[in-house]
Amino acid sequence: MALVLHYIYGSTASIPHAVLEEAGLPYSLKALPSGVDDVHLDHHPEANFKLSGRIPALEDGSSVVFETGAIIMHLLAKPEAAHLMPAYGSNEYSRFMQWLFYLTTSAKATLMEFMWPERWGRFADDQDWVRERAADRMVTQCDYLDSNVSDGTFLSVGFTALDIYLTELARWSAVTGMPMWRWKNLGKIVEATRNRPAYKRMLAMQRISWPMQAA
């Protein structure tokens, strides 16, 4: 049975979407109305479907998986996508999981604070403080990432789903004025990944343009 990815244009669903394209798995897309996000799904009953009020969500037969990291791992468990992560139980697999959690709980969370400070602060001064702290943390996190990735790929074993995840975070980071590709090693990964045919197909299908700052 084909997979169904429920998504919002340009959201974190772009990460599992690119994984689907890289794996060549059969799937379809189901977009939510423009302007909806996972915080406001209660106002759009047609979007809830059985998705537990979370987007992105992946239908796989009778199962529904939400949370970007969980969707990625669900896809990588399929034979067609197994090449996008190291062998289970290997040292590199442990590194893969370590950095997947880091990108989700640290780098992505920091970007969200910068982009939507109103979720953490009610008043303008509070929101400015949230954004300033997020900007400081982003620099620290990018320094840390840049010193821990391999040359041209996130892991030394070669291209994995981590390269996709990092590249999408880099695309979003353009709005901060400190795009992640300014860091030398991160920039190599981003440049290589965003020029992969599967990644380009994902951008085209979601009608996403790469930020002009990349030039």
Side-chain angles (χ1 to χ4, degrees):
M1 182 177 293
L3 303 161
V4 182
L5 180 63
H6 296 257
Y7 75 110
I8 298 166
Y9 288 107
S11 72
T12 56
S14 57
I15 302 170
H17 187 183
V19 170
L20 284 164
E21 281 293 322
E22 284 282 354
L25 286 160
Y27 73 95
S28 61
L29 297 172
K30 187 170 183 180
L32 294 189
S34 178
V36 181
D37 60 32
D38 61 9
V39 177
H40 302 106
L41 284 179
D42 289 342
H43 303 298
H44 295 266
E46 75 280 8
N48 275 315
F49 170 48
K50 49 184 178 181
L51 307 180
S52 303
R54 303 293 297 178
I55 292 296
L58 180 76
E59 269 189 275
D60 187 355
S62 60
S63 299
V64 174
V65 183
F66 65 90
E67 292 297 334
T68 302
I71 295 172
I72 291 170
M73 292 308 299
H74 183 82
L75 293 173
L76 296 182
K78 298 183 179 297
E80 298 91 336
H83 63 286
L84 295 174
M85 72 173 177
Y88 179 79
S90 67
N91 289 338
E92 284 299 285
Y93 177 82
S94 296
R95 280 177 53 80
F96 177 92
M97 293 300 296
Q98 166 189 287
W99 289 114
L100 178 63
F101 276 94
Y102 183 83
L103 291 176
T104 299
T105 62
S106 296
K108 175 188 166 189
T110 298
L111 274 169
M112 290 182 69
E113 288 181 27
F114 185 96
M115 296 168 71
W116 295 288
E118 65 276 9
R119 295 184 181 180
W120 287 269
R122 179 178 179 184
F123 302 107
D125 287 347
D126 296 329
Q127 293 172 19
D128 289 343
W129 181 82
V130 169
R131 179 164 278 173
E132 289 168 7
R133 288 289 301 274
D136 290 342
R137 284 203 312 280
M138 196 176 88
V139 171
T140 300
Q141 290 166 359
C142 285
D143 286 343
Y144 184 51
L145 285 164
D146 197 64
S147 65
N148 279 281
V149 298
S150 296
D151 186 14
T153 56
F154 204 113
L155 299 179
S156 60
V157 294
F159 181 79
T160 69
L162 290 179
D163 299 79
I164 296 171
Y165 206 134
L166 177 71
T167 300
E168 274 300 272
L169 293 185
R171 180 176 67 80
W172 303 328
S173 73
V175 303
T176 70
M178 298 179 294
M180 295 172 76
W181 56 76
R182 288 186 179 177
W183 279 259
K184 180 181 178 181
N185 294 324
L186 302 185
K188 290 181 181 179
I189 297 171
V190 171
E191 186 66 16
T193 303
R194 77 184 190 91
N195 283 302
R196 290 179 70 89
Y199 189 83
K200 288 183 175 181
R201 289 195 299 271
M202 179 278 292
L203 291 180
M205 293 171 72
Q206 293 212 28
R207 299 178 290 183
I208 298 171
S209 297
W210 187 261
M212 290 300 296
Q213 292 93 324

